[in-house]
Amino acid sequence: MSSQPEPGAGVDDPLRAAAETMREVRARCVWSQRITHQDLVPYLIEESHEVIDAVETGTRDDLREELGDLLWQVLFHAAIAAQDPEDPFDIDDVARTLTEKMVRRHPHVFAGEVAETPEQVLVHWNAAKAAEKRTRRSVLDGVPRGMPALALAQKLVGRAAQAEVAVEPGDEADGPASEAELGDALLALVATARVAGWDAERALRERLRVLEDDVRAAEAAS
């Protein structure tokens, strides 16, 4: 009785072997065949957080495994996309697009520009990114609203500054002097919300909506 070949057998490139394994799973696993991009979103979020946990508290083995699980999500999305009847693309297209973008955004590496400090690198990065996004009409375009409220707040405060809408920091004299103290202050605010019966996540998201309105108003007036 003949046995099935190992997934990715005969492929020397481990990344290619992983992609071939995903292709076989998509083609032959009845559960995987029914999965859509939308179905994968909760798994993508979960795997991303597991990578973060591995970075912050895990071992090297944990990190290697969790990065693999996150890579599987990318391969899975690409396998689904390859079967789209109207606009298919596969993992090679994803990799090609990524490579082209990263080459454009690192002209100091690939195109003879000079960047001797991280700040100079950021100038090149932002210039390349701005050139790519010329169709965007607002500094808020492209910000994923599904981000956790605190991460979204940090992103939007930066975008607001580009539109010259300032979000004033707290009193520096009484404010935290380190990231550890900032963590204490944020936790204290959450504790305050709990005692008062408020939803801290909702409160911040509602405030961010006001900030977005202010930014769009400033852009419309300019």
Side-chain angles (χ1 to χ4, degrees), residues 37 80-90 93:
H37 290 299
I80 295 170
Q83 297 175 333
D84 187 279
E86 297 179 359
D87 187 17
F89 61 82
D90 61 15
D93 297 313

Side-chain angles (χ1 to χ4, degrees), residues 8-21:
V11 180
D12 293 331
D13 184 341
L15 281 175
R16 175 57 54 191
E20 288 299 312
T21 300

